[in-house]
Amino acid sequence: MIADQQQLAALDIPKIRADFPILEREVRPGVPLVYLDSAATSQKPIQVMQAMDGFYRNSNANIHRGIHTLAEEATAAYELARERIAAFIGATTPKEVIFTRNTTESINLVAQTWGRANLDSGDVVILTEMEHHSNLVPWQLLAAERNLRLEFIIVTPEGLLDLESYAELLKLGPKMVAFTHMSNVLGTINPAREIIEMAHQAGAVTLVDAAQSLPHIPVDVQELGADFLAFSGHKMCGPNGIGILYGRRVLLEAMPPFLGGGDMIKRVELRSFQSNELPYKFEAGTPAIAEAIGLGAAVDYLSEIGMQAIEQHEQEIIAYALERLEEIPGVQIFGPEAQQKGGVASFMIPEAHAHDISQVLDSDGIAVRAGHHCAMPLHDKFGIPATARASFYLYNAIEEVDKLVDGIYKVKKIFA
Ligand code: 7TS
């Protein structure tokens, strides 16, 4: 049986786990960590830590400024990271890859610059009912300022987007369609290519929130046809404080800058400035240099393992997790079946609140997230205040699902 499972496995899990030192720790003496919270943030492999450490030990300097050796090395490493990320997502040029702090900042950048330049009173922006707050609030802020009309693609009881409701909304002639590629609560992988194609036929620009998809499945911006695409380094084995905004070159060229300051200018006079060229126009001030280099290393790491193999591994884990969770009496699982989702399982049991579930699981070293997962409107829609969420990544072993299920039975016993 075990041999069969190993033959089936898409990834060499013991080998991968050896790259993540934190996975060896015990939460308490004798209680090993079972990390099932990668949708919140992923763990980091030594390759990423070494890349950042190496930069600080050998080449630390500010970029794009000095002509001394260290400044040149730092600049080259920072720009090499950009090139690797551009290749990873299929951008036509590294100029289309903007370093930001995270997905949240990337989406705010689009709302504040493209949005302010292109949206005015009465214009329609289409979002979905399953968005993370970071793809809701930036548009709400702009809507209040510009008197925009926000409309939402309906989420079905199964946790899928209702594309008929979308087709109806497109008749309103929206200027922007911004949606999550993969739900951080339901795990649903949305048909991004189809959504984008329909938006383009209606004349709208599109933004894909790829925070949950890009770390887990192959994503190619050209194949999707995305105009903008946002993601975070920390969810894809990279460091905190670094994220990406991909934008189609013609759109980025036409947009005003976001933050003003050093690096984003070509020339400054006392009362005026001339913007720098792409991508620097959108990178004001000293950026997170080590973090960008760390993200470049994360992209190398994921590429070497292969995004298709990672996707297949997570498909195996989520299929098994749903099967095991469904055996638990009274359990309620949110989102579609395994084939339509990534490695995210949000659930409730009648005996206990999500926070109690999380606390009892933690006593066995099992880390899951409890709460609304920054998707309050979606939880309102399903009429629940909170869910417990187990989320998986390339380093999770199938046995960890069994530990989770044993833990849930323990919760049921305690709160029975
Ligand atoms: N979009 C989605 C779909 C997300 O899941 C998240 C973070 C974000 C945007 C924001 O990413 P950030 O890096 O800018 O914070 N999601 C979660 C989560 O599910 N648990 O913690 C963070």
Side-chain angles (χ1 to χ4, degrees):
M1 182 62 199
I2 286 170
D4 278 347
Q5 267 176 10
Q6 276 173 352
Q7 269 180 0
L8 267 183
L11 300 178
D12 183 347
I13 299 301
K15 183 164 176 279
I16 288 172
R17 288 180 74 85
D19 291 332
F20 293 80
I22 205 169
L23 299 179
E24 282 158 32
R25 78 159 273 188
E26 295 182 336
V27 176
R28 272 171 294 286
V31 182
L33 171 68
V34 177
Y35 189 74
L36 303 181
D37 196 18
S38 293
T41 199
S42 74
Q43 296 302 347
K44 322 300 175 200
I46 35 179
Q47 288 84 344
V48 168
M49 298 181 216
Q50 281 167 351
M52 296 173 73
D53 187 62
F55 167 71
Y56 280 127
R57 282 175 192 273
N58 299 311
S59 306
N60 179 50
N62 211 330
I63 54 163
H64 301 146
R65 289 157 207 238
I67 45 164
H68 57 78
T69 303
L70 294 193
E72 282 172 359
E73 283 178 17
T75 304
Y78 180 78
E79 292 304 332
L80 183 62
R82 192 194 308 275
E83 284 168 28
R84 286 174 174 167
I85 294 159
F88 186 65
I89 64 171
T92 54
T93 153
K95 290 180 196 297
E96 296 182 319
V97 172
I98 315 291
F99 282 118
T100 63
R101 281 190 306 147
N102 46 39
T103 306
T104 302
E105 186 173 284
S106 297
I107 296 172
N108 276 277
L109 191 163
V110 175
Q112 295 292 319
T113 64
W114 181 90
R116 282 218 181 106
N118 291 283
L119 301 178
D120 234 316
S121 188
D123 283 344
V124 174
V125 172
I126 296 183
L127 309 169
T128 85
E129 291 179 334
M130 64 166 79
E131 296 312 307
H132 186 278
H133 297 164
S134 70
N135 195 33
L136 284 173
V137 182
W139 301 109
Q140 291 173 352
L141 286 167
L142 191 67
E145 182 187 303
R146 289 289 164 97
N147 190 30
L148 307 179
R149 177 169 167 194
L150 302 183
E151 293 292 340
F152 299 88
I153 306 175
I154 290 171
V155 173
T156 68
E158 299 77 39
L160 300 170
L161 289 182
D162 176 353
L163 293 187
E164 278 176 27
S165 78
Y166 177 42
E168 279 305 306
L169 290 175
L170 286 175
K171 292 178 187 163
L172 299 172
K175 292 266 177 76
M176 164 61 81
V177 176
F179 66 98
T180 188
H181 194 183
M182 173 172 152
S183 163
N184 66 324
V185 178
L186 306 168
T188 316
I189 297 175
N190 291 319
R193 211 173 133 175
E194 191 179 347
I195 292 170
I196 290 168
E197 227 171 76
M198 289 168 75
H200 285 168
Q201 276 166 16
V205 166
T206 55
L207 180 148
V208 182
D209 174 352
Q212 295 293 348
S213 61
L214 196 118
H216 302 279
I217 62 175
V219 171
D220 183 304
V221 291
Q222 291 188 69
E223 210 178 289
L224 291 179
D227 297 306
F228 295 107
L229 184 131
F231 56 98
S232 297
H234 70 93
K235 292 186 200 286
M236 53 186 290
C237 297
N240 295 326
I242 192 81
I244 298 292
L245 172 68
Y246 158 82
R248 274 204 301 122
R249 189 171 175 169
V250 281
L251 291 169
L252 293 175
E253 296 278 11
M255 279 153 61
F258 181 37
L259 303 175
D263 251 22
M264 51 71 69
I265 46 77
K266 210 175 246 166
R267 196 185 145 71
V268 180
E269 287 167 30
L270 282 177
R271 293 180 203 286
S272 63
F273 71 93
Q274 206 185 333
S275 293
N276 205 342
E277 57 200 42
L278 291 176
Y280 313 113
K281 179 165 85 171
F282 295 106
E283 294 179 5
T286 300
I289 304 166
E291 287 75 9
I293 292 166
L295 181 54
V299 159
D300 286 350
Y301 182 78
L302 293 173
S303 304
E304 204 163 297
I305 292 168
M307 292 309 296
Q308 268 166 355
I310 292 170
E311 179 183 25
Q312 194 187 329
H313 169 68
E314 291 183 31
Q315 261 299 307
E316 286 170 17
I317 285 220
I318 192 66
Y320 181 66
L322 294 186
E323 189 185 310
R324 289 293 329 267
L325 286 170
E326 276 161 13
E327 290 167 11
I328 300 171
V331 77
Q332 194 182 0
I333 302 167
F334 299 90
E337 48 192 50
Q339 299 91 299
Q340 286 166 307
K341 69 194 246 161
V344 172
S346 294
F347 61 93
M348 279 302 297
I349 51 172
E351 293 87 347
H353 187 274
H355 288 116
D356 297 323
I357 298 173
S358 177
Q359 204 159 17
V360 175
L361 290 177
D362 182 61
S363 67
D364 286 333
I366 304 166
V368 301
R369 189 168 171 193
H372 52 67
H373 317 298
C374 298
M376 278 187 180
L378 182 66
H379 281 75
D380 288 345
K381 163 121 190 162
F382 283 99
I384 40 163
T387 52
R389 180 187 69 184
S391 53
F392 304 96
Y393 206 7
L394 75 168
Y395 39 65
N396 286 117
I398 207 107
E399 295 80 21
E400 290 178 298
V401 172
D402 296 327
K403 290 185 181 170
L404 170 70
V405 172
D406 291 348
I408 298 170
Y409 276 111
K410 188 171 159 185
V411 179
K412 284 173 80 75
K413 222 169 172 179
I414 292 171
F415 289 91

